[in-house]
Amino acid sequence: MSQRSSVGNNFNKLTMILAIIGTIATVMTVPEFRCRIGWYSEACATPQQGTTPQKDVELNVQTQTGESLAGVKMQFIAAKGAPEIQYTDSNGYAKVQIPSQGDVRVTLSKEGYPTQDFTINLTSDQSTTRTIRLNQIGQPKVSSPPQPPLTTTASPTTISRSQVLQTQQKAGFLFALQGCQRQDELVVCSFLVTNKEDDRLLKLMNSNRIIDEYSNQFIDIYRSLGSNKSDYNYVSEILVRDVPLKGSVTFKKVSSQLNRLLLLELSTYDENSDKEMRIQFRNVSISS
């Protein structure tokens, strides 16, 4: 009788052990568990099913007349996840990650303005840059970078006008960054500038700079505006109202491993208003 009881107990223990082993084997097939304990699999490198990929969106907030607006509180509300809050910097700039699909509601608050809101949907408008102008009636004017008609000719050192990446507007001048290109150890950044007021003189100074992704700073060695070029002093041109003019700045000894700029800053001077302006573009890719 005692022997039968012992056999029965051993059988029960064996059954329990096999059940535990089976449970562990089943759990180890779950990708989320394998990732948590550090057991790498392909599932660890991809988003979990049901999640929406995120994209960086850059916002430039301005007054109704186009001046940069600092300290604007922006609340981003998506269908899933907690709201995110950002504030614009001294240049009216802010950057945020939002879902690449679905509506994201943006609420803007700034002293002296009524609370205003608008919606971003990257499915219907895939541009990742927005310019927002606040006004006193509570309805902001939101625009993506302009897309001028495609030109059929372009020299190796310039980029088609259709490739406008970012825009900045100050004192009635609209600056549209076309891109930065690598040429051996040189990097050439091209842009368009449009005067939105009466004809006037604009100077492109000799203190333009870039800061790379490793926080190294470079000052330009060469600059051009319209037909004027210089490797020593500033260049200047009279800009006719609403007629865009090409410009560029060139930097040397830039590492061939560099793919992105944290900052491109243009130093300009408006002769009419006796005002110096610094135009800043952020997170600029370098193309070959």
Side-chain angles (χ1 to χ4, degrees):
M1 190 72 171
S2 174
Q3 186 175 1
R4 289 183 180 179
S5 176
S6 176
V7 171
N9 289 337
N10 290 338
F11 179 78
N12 290 337
K13 289 180 181 179
L14 179 61
T15 302
M16 183 178 297
I17 291 172
L18 292 175
I20 292 173
I21 293 174
T23 301
I24 293 174
T26 301
V27 170
M28 292 304 295
T29 64
V30 179
E32 292 82 354
F33 184 81
R34 291 161 65 96
C35 294
R36 281 193 182 184
I37 65 172
W39 190 342
Y40 180 81
S41 69
E42 292 184 0
C44 301
T46 57
Q48 296 181 12
Q49 186 176 6
T51 61
T52 302
Q54 303 282 304
K55 273 191 177 181
D56 288 333
V57 172
E58 297 177 285
L59 302 174
N60 296 287
V61 184
Q62 303 174 351
T63 65
Q64 198 165 353
T65 56
E67 299 294 329
S68 297
L69 202 54
V72 178
K73 179 182 178 181
M74 296 185 292
Q75 186 177 44
F76 300 84
I77 304 173
K80 295 182 179 179
E84 181 171 345
I85 294 177
Q86 295 275 2
Y87 289 85
T88 58
D89 63 14
S90 58
N91 296 295
Y93 172 88
K95 182 178 179 181
V96 68
Q97 277 198 342
I98 65 171
S100 60
Q101 300 174 1
D103 289 344
V104 177
R105 192 166 189 80
V106 185
T107 301
L108 304 99
S109 305
K110 172 70 176 176
E111 185 177 357
Y113 291 86
T115 300
Q116 306 179 37
D117 53 55
F118 66 98
T119 299
I120 298 177
N121 188 311
L122 293 177
T123 302
S124 57
D125 184 350
Q126 297 181 6
S127 173
T128 55
T129 303
R130 301 284 195 283
T131 298
I132 305 105
R133 289 195 178 186
L134 301 186
N135 57 49
Q136 297 298 331
I137 64 173
Q139 184 60 44
K141 181 179 180 181
V142 182
S143 60
S144 299
Q147 300 295 322
L150 179 66
T151 56
T152 56
T153 59
S155 68
T157 60
T158 60
I159 300 174
S160 167
R161 283 183 58 191
S162 65
Q163 295 176 306
V164 173
L165 305 180
Q166 299 182 37
T167 61
Q168 281 284 322
Q169 183 162 324
K170 284 192 177 181
F173 290 100
L174 176 64
F175 292 83
L177 175 64
Q178 294 181 295
C180 293
Q181 285 186 318
R182 186 188 312 283
Q183 299 174 21
D184 297 326
E185 68 171 3
L186 301 178
V187 168
V188 181
C189 296
S190 303
F191 62 93
L192 297 172
V193 56
T194 305
N195 173 27
K196 308 302 290 185
E197 299 179 2
D198 293 336
D199 298 1
R200 49 184 169 157
L201 182 73
L202 180 69
K203 293 180 180 179
L204 179 63
M205 310 305 288
N206 59 352
S207 55
N208 308 287
R209 63 174 178 160
I210 56 175
I211 299 177
D212 69 18
E213 56 191 334
Y214 305 108
S215 300
N216 299 310
Q217 176 174 280
F218 303 83
I219 304 299
D220 68 320
I221 61 166
Y222 188 85
R223 64 215 58 86
S224 70
L225 185 62
S227 59
N228 291 325
K229 304 174 182 179
S230 175
D231 60 357
Y232 176 67
N233 213 335
Y234 66 83
V235 291
S236 62
E237 281 280 8
I238 295 177
L239 271 65
V240 178
R241 180 170 186 160
D242 292 329
V243 178
L245 196 65
K246 291 182 178 180
S248 68
V249 285
T250 302
F251 305 87
K252 73 173 183 178
K253 295 185 178 179
V254 181
S255 170
S256 60
Q257 304 301 315
L258 188 65
N259 296 312
R260 184 174 67 93
L261 301 175
L262 297 179
L263 176 73
L264 164 63
E265 185 178 80
L266 304 178
S267 178
T268 63
Y269 181 82
D270 177 16
E271 190 82 4
N272 284 12
S273 64
D274 192 26
K275 182 179 180 181
E276 183 179 355
M277 301 174 293
R278 293 193 176 273
I279 311 303
Q280 296 181 338
F281 300 103
R282 299 171 184 264
N283 296 307
V284 179
S285 297
I286 300 176
S287 60
S288 300

